[in-house]
Amino acid sequence: MNKLGQLLVEQGKISERDVERTLLAQTEMGGMFGQVLVRLGLVSEQDVAAALSALLDIPLRVATDYPADPLHLEGLSRDFLVSHSAVPLATDDAAVSFAAAVPQDPFLAKALAMALDKPVRIELGLESDIAKALQRYVQEPEEGEDQSLDDQFSGQSDDEFIEHLKDLASEAPVIRLVNQLIHRALDMGASDIHIEPFEDGLHLRYRVDGVLQDFADPPPLNLAAAIASRIKLLSQMNIAERRLPQDGRIMTRVKGHELDLRVSTIPTVHGESIVMRVLDRESIRLSLASMGFSEDTLKRYRELLARPHGVLLVTGPTGSGKTTTLYASLASLDSESLKIITVEDPVEYQLPGVNQIQVQSQIDLTFARALRSILRQDPDIIMIGEMRDTETAQIGVQSALTGHLVLSTLHTNTAASAITRLEDMGVERYLITSSVNGVLAQRLVRTLCEHCKEPVEVGADYIRQTGLQRFVQGDTQQVYQARGCDRCMQTGYAGRTGIHELFLLDDAMHRVIMNGADATVLHAAARRQGMTTLYEDGLRKVVQGVTSMEEVLRVTQDQSETDATTGAAPPHLESLESASA
């Protein structure tokens, strides 16, 4: 057995089975045994480092041991330090001490001693601490390095310009920096990475649980062109085109996770703004039961999925989880006995037993054209990524009328407004009532951190004003508010769940639609028929302690004023204590 693995087993950190799995993964992934353990998530980096320190009898350096300012040593290039994950800690007349991720590497000690012509001491450091220290080296220009991009590119031909960009993108510090951006997104659970150049510097933001968070230590502005070039190379974009928007895709493996990054660049006055949407293929939940559905809503939604034909729509703004809900819906169906075909732009996740078509607008393979061909493939169920135009909507409705179950998404704020949206797209009312079975509207709300959520008792006035009385008994109720701790990065929230409203088109709703009702009238009629709105479903999760009132108000503010029983706007929880009984 591996010595490090054996020690960790003796310490009770991992099992012998974990060691076997790690050794097998090491043959595929490469790298040191301890590094693979951490990537697989079997043990923390700190535990591995502590065990390795004891095994090698080498001191373990902590983050406070690293110098605040980079320690520059003559004869030692920063590229060498970056490529070997080593950081100089201190120097004196006797020797130079370093922290390294792999201190047992004999080549490292020899190379450093030869370069400095001086004895060296190499001690153990955490990879994350070393990476942070090395980032300070990356951000500092080396002596003689030109910081002006205009000066760098002036006088160059197109070919020289492209080669210069490729050279920038191929430098070890830039490669490591871009990798760190992606690794950090995975560690934070971010859905998007925003790299934005402004006059005062390069801004780096991550969208975590639907909310953008600034990163306190962004890369310097002089690296913007190099970072953009590196990302463009990875995503198969035109590296020399900086004047037009571009789209690309990066498939990579990070810490044992298969990541799919959708990359978008747009030109701004200060340079190219880049957004990378992070799709973690291993974290997607393709189970309707785990997506936050209330029992009654899920039961009715499954009944709609079981119908042999008709249109079932999922609505909501961008990033509300519509596509994930459709994937989970398809995954719940029997693909062995049903012919299922999807048309998507892009295909985000591949489903077993499902025929998925990628829209290719450059060769005129549009939603509408693909749909016309699909009908000759004898499908039972068709999933349309999005009803974007009149032609797609009309073909989708016609497909439902000819005996197919059609699933699709629409960008509308409420379930009822999907009906008026179809009318705006040219679908006649009688076709809507004949084909549409139901509309599911959804939002994502952040769930409270289990480690720090704070209980608050609210009184009768607050319960009445917010409409909570439908879900509580008595004049007081305990709800929770966000507090913030180290585990949730001081936000008070960890993860997200869905809130839903399901608009069913029964005979009564058909009559309202045929009378030409607008979205407001349709919404009111659906409520009279017993529909639970987004705001009300959010209130139900507040009472259950899943989320906070602030979060429900943030996500459903457009509905909360009309859904509260009094008709008045519910109070914000800026001081929940004032609402206490």
Side-chain angles (χ1 to χ4, degrees):
M1 183 186 291
N2 179 280
K3 289 183 179 180
L4 178 59
Q6 186 175 2
L7 180 57
L8 288 168
V9 170
E10 292 171 358
Q11 293 175 348
K13 302 295 184 183
I14 57 175
S15 66
E16 293 187 4
R17 174 61 182 152
D18 291 332
V19 175
E20 294 173 6
R21 288 171 54 197
T22 304
L23 290 171
L24 184 62
Q26 188 180 15
T27 60
E28 298 178 3
M29 299 165 59
M32 307 295 287
F33 179 83
Q35 293 172 332
V36 178
L37 266 176
V38 175
R39 287 177 200 163
L40 293 177
L42 298 174
V43 69
S44 71
E45 185 184 9
Q46 182 69 46
D47 287 339
V48 170
L52 193 60
S53 174
L55 191 66
L56 300 175
D57 194 23
I58 295 176
L60 174 60
R61 290 290 194 165
V62 296
T64 54
D65 293 331
Y66 293 80
D69 296 318
L71 180 61
H72 295 287
L73 300 171
E74 188 175 349
L76 195 59
S77 74
R78 68 182 182 188
D79 286 352
F80 180 86
L81 295 175
V82 169
S83 60
H84 290 84
S85 293
V87 176
L89 300 175
T91 180
D92 53 37
D93 294 337
V96 182
S97 61
F98 288 83
V102 189
Q104 66 270 37
D105 182 0
F107 167 77
L108 178 61
K110 290 179 182 178
L112 288 172
M114 288 180 62
L116 298 172
D117 194 21
K118 200 174 186 180
V120 297
R121 291 189 300 268
I122 301 183
E123 297 168 349
L124 180 63
L126 294 180
E127 275 194 86
S128 55
D129 291 340
I130 290 172
K132 289 177 184 175
L134 286 173
Q135 190 169 352
R136 293 194 285 270
Y137 280 82
V138 170
Q139 291 175 358
E140 282 199 355
E142 287 194 308
E143 188 176 347
E145 196 172 61
D146 194 349
Q147 296 307 297
S148 169
L149 292 176
D150 292 335
D151 291 343
Q152 288 183 40
F153 300 139
S154 61
Q156 293 183 339
S157 65
D158 288 346
D159 290 341
E160 289 173 335
F161 171 64
I162 294 171
E163 287 304 315
H164 194 147
L165 286 176
K166 288 183 178 178
D167 289 342
L168 278 176
S170 302
E171 292 179 357
V174 174
I175 293 173
R176 182 174 291 272
L177 186 54
V178 171
N179 289 343
Q180 285 175 356
L181 298 180
I182 298 171
H183 283 224
R184 194 178 295 123
L186 184 63
D187 293 338
M188 296 173 67
S191 60
D192 300 87
I193 307 169
H194 294 248
I195 305 169
E196 304 160 312
F198 290 100
E199 187 175 5
D200 61 342
L202 199 62
H203 291 200
L204 177 61
R205 298 193 288 177
Y206 291 91
R207 189 178 294 279
V208 181
D209 293 335
V211 178
L212 279 172
Q213 296 184 10
D214 284 313
F215 188 70
D217 192 18
L221 185 60
N222 66 286
L223 285 178
I227 292 171
S229 298
R230 175 65 185 168
I231 293 172
K232 284 180 175 180
L233 275 179
L234 291 173
S235 52
Q236 308 293 314
M237 293 184 191
N238 181 357
I239 194 173
E241 181 55 78
R242 295 187 294 169
R243 301 163 300 171
L244 295 173
Q246 295 189 69
D247 295 301
R249 183 176 182 179
I250 302 173
M251 301 289 291
T252 185
R253 187 174 182 85
V254 177
K255 297 183 179 179
H257 292 250
E258 289 286 348
L259 290 190
D260 186 354
L261 303 173
R262 304 292 163 80
V263 185
S264 170
T265 69
I266 58 170
T268 70
V269 291
H270 297 293
E272 286 183 287
S273 176
I274 302 172
V275 175
M276 293 188 280
R277 169 156 285 191
V278 183
L279 298 173
D280 184 354
R281 293 176 176 272
E282 296 181 16
S283 68
I284 186 173
R285 298 175 298 176
L286 292 181
S287 166
L288 287 173
S290 65
M291 299 186 70
F293 278 95
S294 301
E295 287 186 18
D296 54 344
T297 304
L298 181 57
K299 180 182 177 183
R300 291 196 296 269
Y301 183 71
R302 288 190 186 277
E303 290 171 355
L304 293 178
L305 279 176
R307 294 191 184 182
H309 53 79
V311 176
L312 178 54
L313 297 172
V314 181
T315 73
T318 301
S320 60
K322 300 186 299 295
T323 304
T324 304
T325 297
L326 285 184
Y327 276 125
S329 303
L330 293 179
S332 70
L333 300 171
D334 184 5
S335 60
E336 292 186 5
S337 61
L338 296 169
K339 174 83 168 184
I340 304 175
I341 304 180
T342 73
V343 189
E344 305 170 62
D345 184 23
V347 174
E348 294 187 3
Y349 299 98
Q350 295 179 17
L351 299 173
V354 177
N355 299 277
Q356 295 173 268
I357 300 172
Q358 169 73 56
V359 167
Q360 305 278 358
S361 55
Q362 65 271 25
I363 57 172
D364 201 30
L365 179 57
T366 60
F367 279 106
R369 185 169 181 179
L371 276 174
R372 284 194 292 269
S373 301
I374 278 176
L375 295 176
R376 293 191 286 272
Q377 290 279 312
D378 187 31
D380 296 298
I381 298 172
I382 300 169
M383 194 268 268
I384 307 169
E386 182 184 346
M387 285 190 177
R388 296 180 179 175
D389 52 55
T390 299
E391 189 177 9
T392 302
Q394 289 178 338
I395 296 174
V397 168
Q398 293 293 342
S399 301
L401 293 174
T402 54
H404 305 89
L405 179 62
V406 179
L407 310 180
S408 188
T409 68
L410 268 180
H411 282 268
T412 61
N413 289 327
T414 64
S417 58
I419 304 303
T420 54
R421 176 80 177 111
L422 287 175
E423 287 186 41
D424 292 341
M425 295 170 75
V427 181
E428 298 289 342
R429 287 179 195 156
Y430 73 90
L431 289 177
I432 294 174
T433 56
S434 302
S435 60
V436 179
N437 295 334
V439 184
L440 178 76
Q442 78 172 48
R443 300 287 191 279
L444 293 176
V445 294
R446 292 181 292 173
T447 54
L448 287 163
C449 174
E450 290 294 333
H451 301 284
C452 66
K453 66 181 183 180
E454 189 172 70
V456 177
E457 198 86 10
V458 294
D461 289 343
Y462 187 84
I463 290 173
R464 186 181 63 257
Q465 286 179 302
T466 56
L468 278 168
Q469 74 271 13
R470 177 178 171 184
F471 306 103
V472 303
Q473 295 178 347
D475 294 332
T476 63
Q477 174 66 34
Q478 179 177 276
V479 297
Y480 291 86
Q481 64 180 357
R483 179 78 175 181
C485 65
D486 291 339
R487 300 199 188 196
C488 60
M489 296 183 290
Q490 305 301 327
T491 63
Y493 299 94
R496 289 190 290 178
T497 190
I499 57 174
H500 307 87
E501 69 179 28
L502 185 58
F503 179 80
L504 297 173
L505 273 75
D506 54 15
D507 291 340
M509 294 310 304
H510 288 169
R511 288 193 292 272
V512 177
I513 292 171
M514 291 306 294
N515 287 335
D518 61 15
T520 304
V521 175
L522 285 172
H523 183 79
R527 291 195 67 195
R528 289 194 297 272
Q529 294 291 103
M531 180 183 78
T532 301
T533 67
L534 287 167
Y535 175 64
E536 290 167 342
D537 197 34
L539 292 181
R540 185 154 44 186
K541 289 179 170 58
V542 169
V543 172
Q544 294 168 353
V546 174
T547 189
S548 69
M549 197 71 201
E550 295 100 326
E551 182 66 7
V552 172
L553 289 170
R554 180 183 71 86
V555 173
T556 66
Q557 214 153 22
D558 56 335
Q559 283 198 353
S560 59
E561 297 191 6
T562 56
D563 282 353
T565 308
T566 61
H572 288 260
L573 295 190
E574 293 168 357
S575 58
L576 239 181
E577 287 75 8
S578 64
S580 300

